[in-house]
Amino acid sequence: MPPQKIIIDTDPGVDDILALLLALSSSADELQVLLISLTFGNIDIQNVLRNTVAMFHVLELEREWRAQNGKKLGYETLAVHPPIVAVGAEGPLEGELLMADYFHGIDGLGGVHTTAPHFTPQNSWAHLFDREAQLEAGETRKRHVPKNFRPSILPAHREMLRVLREEEEGTVTIVAVGPLTNLALAAEEDLDTFLRAKEVVVMGGTIDMEGNCTPVAEFNHYACAYSAARIYALTSPSPQSTLPPSRSGFTLPTFPSTKRLNLVLFPLDITTMHLLPQITFSDAATPLGEAGSPLANWCSHFIAATYRKMEVLHKDAAGGRRVQDVHLSLHDPMCIYYILTRDDPGWRWRRDRDVRVDATGQWTRGMCVVDRRTRRAVGKEEELVVGDFDRWLHAGFGNRVQQVVGSPEGAEGALGGWLVWRVFGC
C-alpha cells in the first residue's frame, strides 16, 4: 500500500515538535509528510519558523551521528520525501493576539536557543522563505537549499491549496495542531479545493473538561476562535446555520450541498490522559545524550525546561507542596499516533456530534458548545423540542464532528514509551 499523505499545520511549541518528530520518524511506506504549514500560536511566527528550521538542522546532525556510530539512521520518510515548509498566519482572523509563551517559553522551546545555541542554525536560512530575497539571489539560492526540507515562498494556506489541488482527491489528510487560521484562509480562498482533503484531524477544544486557557476554552481554539468556528461549520449540511458573524468581512463562498468536511476532533478530554512521564523520557534520552546524540541533547534542553515549568504549576496548584511525578500530556502527538494506527479497532468515536465554537462571547471565546438535549423522534423526521427557538435540533442544521473518545487499549500508559522509541530509535 502507498504511504498515507498528510499536511501538518502547526505552531512549534514543545508538543508540536514531538508530533513532528513522530511523523518524520516514520518509514517511507507508512507516511509521507507533503507539507508543514506554520502558523502563529504557542509563539510568534518568526520563532515558530526558527524552531522548525532548528529541528531539521538537528535531524541532519542526528542522522550523521547515527551513521558514524553504526546505528540505524531512522527518519526514512524524511530522507525519501523531504517535506515543504511554508510560513502562514501571523495572527488571528479577528480578536486580540494571544500566545502561550508563558508555558512554552519566550522562544517556544523553553529557551533552547539560549541554553543550546550550537543547535540553532544561523539566520542565513531566513531568506529561503522571502520571495524578494529569492528573486534577488537568483541562481545562487540553489546553493543554500537545505537537504531535508524544501522552503516555500508561498503563504502556507496557498501552499496547502496547491498540494490539495495536485494530489488525488480524498488522499491527503490535514493534521491541524495549532490555531486553525491557515485552514480558514485556505477555505475562504478556494473552498472546493480545500474540501478535496480526505479529512481534517484537529487537536483542539474541550467538551466535558475545563479549559487549559480559560475556564471553558482550550488554547488553539481560543487563539483564533473565528477560524475554528468556520472550519467546524464546514461539517454542517447548512454551514450558514453555524457560521459566526464577522466584523472583518471574512466570508465563505457558496457551500456545495453535496460536499461536507470530515473533521476528526481530539479535544483535551482524550489528549490530556495520554502522557510522557519524566522518567520515561530521561531513561531514554540521558544515555543517548551522554553518547553524543544531537537529537537527544537538543530535546533534553526544552523538555527538561517543560517538566520544570510543570513542577512549578503543580506545586502552585497543590498549595506549595512539591509534586513527585510530573507528566507531559501528548496533545499534538496523539493526532499523529491516530494517523499511524487508524486501523486499530480500539479507536472509538462519538459520530456526527453537533459541536460549535463560540467566537464572540466575552467570557466564552473558543468554547466548544454541545447541545445535550434529547431529540424526540417522530417517524423518520426529527421534531423540534419545546423551547428550541433557535432550531438547534433541526435535522438540517448544526455541525457534524467526529469526536474521538477512546484510544487503543493501553495507549494512555504506553504512548509515551512508544513515542520515545520511534523518535530516538531506542
Side-chain angles (χ1 to χ4, degrees), residues 160-166 186 190-197 259:
M160 185 182 297
L161 289 171
R162 185 197 61 78
V163 170
L164 291 171
R165 197 176 293 119
E166 293 181 0
D190 188 345
L191 184 57
D192 283 336
T193 296
F194 181 74
L195 291 174
R196 288 171 61 89
K259 254 180 164 181

Side-chain angles (χ1 to χ4, degrees), residues 5 238 256 402 409:
K5 297 180 179 182
S238 177
Q402 318 310 319
E409 184 176 358

Side-chain angles (χ1 to χ4, degrees), residues 31 43 56 62 134 148 158 186 211 260 296 322 350 356 407:
L31 210 59
I43 198 67
F56 282 106
E62 176 71 8
Q134 286 293 284
N148 55 3
R158 289 186 178 150
R260 286 193 289 118
R322 188 174 185 275
R350 286 196 66 173
R356 313 185 192 187
S407 58

Side-chain angles (χ1 to χ4, degrees), residues 211-227:
N212 63 358
C213 179
T214 73
V216 296
E218 176 273 336
F219 174 81
N220 287 339
H221 284 12
Y222 185 90
C224 190
Y226 279 90
S227 66

Side-chain angles (χ1 to χ4, degrees), residues 13-19 103-104 109 212 270-281 299-300 302-311 313-314 325-334 411-417 419-420 424:
V14 174
D15 56 329
D16 301 76
I17 288 289
L18 291 178
F103 181 81
H104 291 269
L109 290 179
N212 63 358
I270 187 167
T271 62
T272 303
M273 313 306 172
H274 292 75
L275 306 170
L276 176 57
Q278 187 171 14
I279 188 67
T280 300
F281 174 79
C299 290
S300 292
F302 62 81
I303 292 181
T306 304
Y307 282 128
R308 289 194 296 271
K309 180 65 175 180
M310 294 181 68
E311 286 175 354
L313 295 175
H314 288 310
D325 299 321
V326 181
H327 302 78
L328 174 64
S329 289
L330 297 172
H331 301 294
D332 297 344
M334 271 291 292
E412 290 185 11
L415 179 55
L419 180 146
V420 163
F424 295 116

Side-chain angles (χ1 to χ4, degrees), residues 72-91:
K72 185 178 179 180
L73 297 183
Y75 291 87
E76 183 182 317
T77 193
L78 177 60
V80 177
H81 309 293
I84 296 168
V85 175
V87 180
E90 298 182 6

